[in-house]
Amino acid sequence: MNILILGSGGRESTLAWKIVQSDHLKQLFIAPGNAGTKNIGINLQLSVNDFEAIKKVVLENNINMVIVGPEDPLVNGIHDFFLSDNELKNIPIIGPQKLAAQLEGSKEFAKEFMVRHQIPTAKYQSFTEETLQKGFGFLESLDAPYVLKADGLAAGKGVLILNNLQEAKKELEEMLTQQKFGKASSKVVIEEFLDGIEMSSFVLTDSENYLILPNAKDYKRIGEGDKGLNTGGMGAISPVPFADIEFLAKVEERIIKPTIKGLKTDKIPYVGFIFIGLIKVNNDPFVIEYNVRLGDPETEVVIPRIKSDLVDLFIATAEKKLNEFNLEIDDRSATTVMMVSGGYPESYEKGKEISGLDNVNNSIVFHAGTSLKKDSVITSGGRVLAVTSFGKNYKEALAQSYQNIKKIHFDKMNYRKDIGFDL
Ligand code: AMP
Ligand code: GLY
């Protein structure tokens, strides 16, 4: 088979690394990819949101399956675009259609879905510019801290957590009347604050059946001790040590099963990954958010723990035969640590030469923000490399990642030295 992966980050590098291990694969294409994917497949320079350009490369290269990494093309309807095109409609896409992608594309849509199907989540109400005064009233009815969420996609930046009522009102007003997050905040969901520890579950569904993939916990803040600005994610661990069998059974019964059943009841077809952001309050799981794709850097620990052939798994997904699939999971722990550009997640410089990649042993280095300049690998993004390792527990795996990070260098590099500190 010829397979196309859309995207260019650590997540897509990991999918590429796993897919090239499959006997089904003839040629792998990654669009746009990075310096790492270039070593194992063919990078195609195109935008993941340029559907006509994607159609052209799919037909030119006889691509038989498309794996969508990021949420944007899903929310923009790439799957629907394929289904409505006579030349593309029989090519399987791993990633849901536009309607289902609203689970990530609209916080209000996701909240309404959860309420309709009795899936535990924080109490909420949503507001627009016209109902701003009611929004103030709702904030007054809650206790601090206040959680404000832009309804639409805001590149992971649309959630504000504020300790002070006046500040929360001011932010709400700015989001609604001054488009603080552009069109994404023309509607705002205000939520009750849930106090607990977070983790994520990953599910693959074919619309009829589902498989639960390894769970993970990511570290979103730039600073040690979970301080400072939010990033895309600075590291991840799988499995999550505090997610014991009893807790995971609650997640499946109260959240995963009702989600899959709810999609069927609502006649929302869904072929692809569901990434459920959870918070454990006392011993009970609540949904913080749905994402309609894999997480990054969670993928860098989830996918390496899957022992089964990933292309076999995707074929079973496309054929709606996940019920017949025997998913094999590596029971070791996997951890990843992100090496980022100095300054990230604020402004940072690019184009720094990366050295030492060949000295790494017993870890896998997934490229995230890299490109090639002549024969040198250089930085080209905020998150540059993800260093993944295995161990009999997460501490052993982390020690391995940190040992290998010491062998890699680029000017102004930064990484968190405390991944797993809270476990
Ligand atoms: P989201 O984009 O919805 O995942 O939110 C970003 C982050 O905000 C989450 O990872 C949580 O740390 C935090 N968060 C979101 N909603 C809540 C909530 N209701 N209670 C507490 N923390 C929240
Ligand atoms: N690591 C969080 C995300 O991918 O959304």
Side-chain angles (χ1 to χ4, degrees):
M1 284 174 84
N2 294 327
I3 297 181
L4 170 65
I5 300 174
L6 293 178
S8 64
R11 167 181 48 212
E12 290 75 22
S13 292
T14 313
L15 289 165
W17 167 87
K18 182 70 178 163
I19 285 172
V20 295
Q21 297 173 39
S22 171
D23 291 336
H24 291 287
L25 186 72
K26 200 162 117 208
Q27 180 65 55
L28 178 65
F29 297 87
I30 310 96
N34 56 41
T37 59
K38 204 168 175 170
N39 288 330
I40 53 175
I42 298 176
N43 284 352
L44 300 168
Q45 287 317 308
L46 53 79
S47 151
V48 295
N49 288 306
D50 185 346
F51 298 168
E52 289 296 341
I54 294 169
K55 173 176 175 176
K56 195 158 163 270
V57 302
V58 164
L59 296 176
E60 270 171 14
N61 296 294
N62 294 315
I63 284 165
N64 311 104
M65 178 180 277
V66 180
I67 321 297
V68 186
E71 63 278 15
D72 266 24
L74 295 168
V75 173
N76 292 337
I78 190 165
H79 196 145
D80 311 66
F81 175 85
F82 270 60
L83 288 177
S84 65
D85 187 297
N86 273 333
E87 289 174 289
L88 300 177
K89 68 180 180 208
N90 294 321
I91 299 171
I93 299 228
I94 304 299
Q97 294 170 51
K98 192 170 185 163
L99 176 59
Q102 286 297 97
L103 283 177
E104 177 164 0
S106 163
K107 301 275 186 200
E108 186 184 46
F109 180 93
K111 287 301 236 183
E112 287 173 348
F113 177 85
M114 288 184 260
V115 170
R116 193 159 60 242
H117 301 294
Q118 284 114 45
I119 295 166
T121 189
K123 195 172 77 179
Y124 84 103
Q125 282 187 30
S126 50
F127 301 94
T128 58
E129 188 169 355
E130 285 69 49
T131 56
L132 176 65
Q133 293 303 324
K134 285 194 178 132
F136 290 159
F138 186 60
L139 282 172
E140 283 160 14
S141 77
L142 298 172
D143 294 322
Y146 304 93
V147 183
L148 306 183
K149 299 186 174 184
D151 178 61
L153 289 184
K157 297 192 172 71
V159 176
L160 299 178
I161 299 184
L162 304 150
N163 286 316
N164 171 298
L165 180 61
Q166 287 319 317
E167 214 184 326
K169 286 184 174 175
K170 183 170 154 273
E171 292 287 355
L172 178 66
E173 187 160 359
E174 279 181 18
M175 286 170 92
L176 291 174
T177 64
Q178 288 164 40
Q179 310 245 322
K180 178 163 182 162
F181 298 103
K183 240 179 74 191
S185 68
S186 54
K187 194 181 277 172
V188 172
V189 169
I190 303 180
E191 278 187 20
E192 149 197 52
F193 181 82
L194 297 175
D195 195 7
I197 186 160
E198 287 176 60
M199 62 166 284
S200 299
S201 281
F202 294 89
V203 176
L204 180 63
T205 179
D206 59 17
S207 272
E208 289 299 322
N209 317 287
Y210 68 89
L211 287 175
I212 301 179
L213 308 179
N215 55 52
K217 172 162 177 54
D218 83 335
Y219 289 79
K220 287 200 179 72
R221 302 297 190 96
I222 187 70
E224 272 143 35
D226 281 345
K227 302 267 167 29
L229 293 174
N230 256 324
T231 70
M234 296 293 291
I237 287 176
S238 175
V240 179
F242 63 77
D244 56 27
I245 291 177
E246 195 193 345
F247 181 73
L248 292 176
K250 286 182 189 171
V251 172
E252 182 164 10
E253 288 307 315
R254 297 179 193 175
I255 293 169
I256 296 173
K257 282 186 182 166
T259 298
I260 301 296
K261 189 159 169 257
L263 289 167
K264 273 195 229 175
T265 308
D266 293 351
K267 302 203 164 43
I268 303 177
Y270 200 119
V271 175
F273 296 103
I274 314 177
F275 157 3
I276 311 175
L278 299 169
I279 190 159
K280 182 179 176 205
V281 183
N282 301 318
N283 255 320
D284 293 319
F286 290 80
V287 177
I288 290 277
E289 63 168 352
Y290 286 111
N291 295 300
V292 297
R293 52 174 171 87
L294 286 173
D296 194 353
E298 292 89 336
T299 305
E300 287 89 307
V301 291
V302 168
I303 292 292
R305 289 192 59 226
I306 296 179
K307 288 206 271 189
S308 312
D309 182 312
L310 199 63
V311 178
D312 266 341
L313 183 60
F314 289 153
I315 291 170
T317 308
E319 292 177 350
K320 298 202 190 315
K321 286 185 182 158
L322 282 182
N323 55 326
E324 293 170 18
F325 196 86
N326 176 28
L327 183 67
E328 283 185 80
I329 304 292
D330 191 327
D331 55 20
R332 289 176 301 169
S333 288
T335 60
T336 199
V337 179
M338 268 287 173
M339 301 180 67
V340 307
S341 298
Y344 171 80
E346 295 183 283
S347 63
Y348 54 84
E349 293 165 29
K350 298 181 189 175
K352 309 285 185 196
E353 191 167 329
I354 303 171
S355 61
L357 290 170
D358 293 338
N359 302 336
V360 170
N361 47 39
N362 279 326
S363 290
I364 316 162
V365 179
F366 295 117
H367 288 231
T370 64
S371 59
L372 279 179
K373 187 177 170 190
K374 298 204 178 109
D375 287 334
S376 308
V377 180
I378 58 168
T379 67
S380 64
R383 294 192 293 171
V384 177
L385 301 166
V387 181
T388 294
S389 313
F390 285 103
K392 63 177 188 294
N393 53 45
Y394 76 88
K395 286 187 178 157
E396 197 181 281
L398 270 173
Q400 188 63 31
S401 287
Y402 284 125
Q403 205 185 335
N404 276 312
I405 282 180
K406 292 207 181 85
K407 301 177 188 166
I408 304 173
H409 180 78
F410 54 91
D411 186 32
K412 301 200 169 85
M413 69 180 222
N414 181 28
Y415 61 94
R416 266 182 71 167
K417 290 147 198 89
D418 70 337
I419 299 303
F421 79 99
D422 55 341
L423 299 174

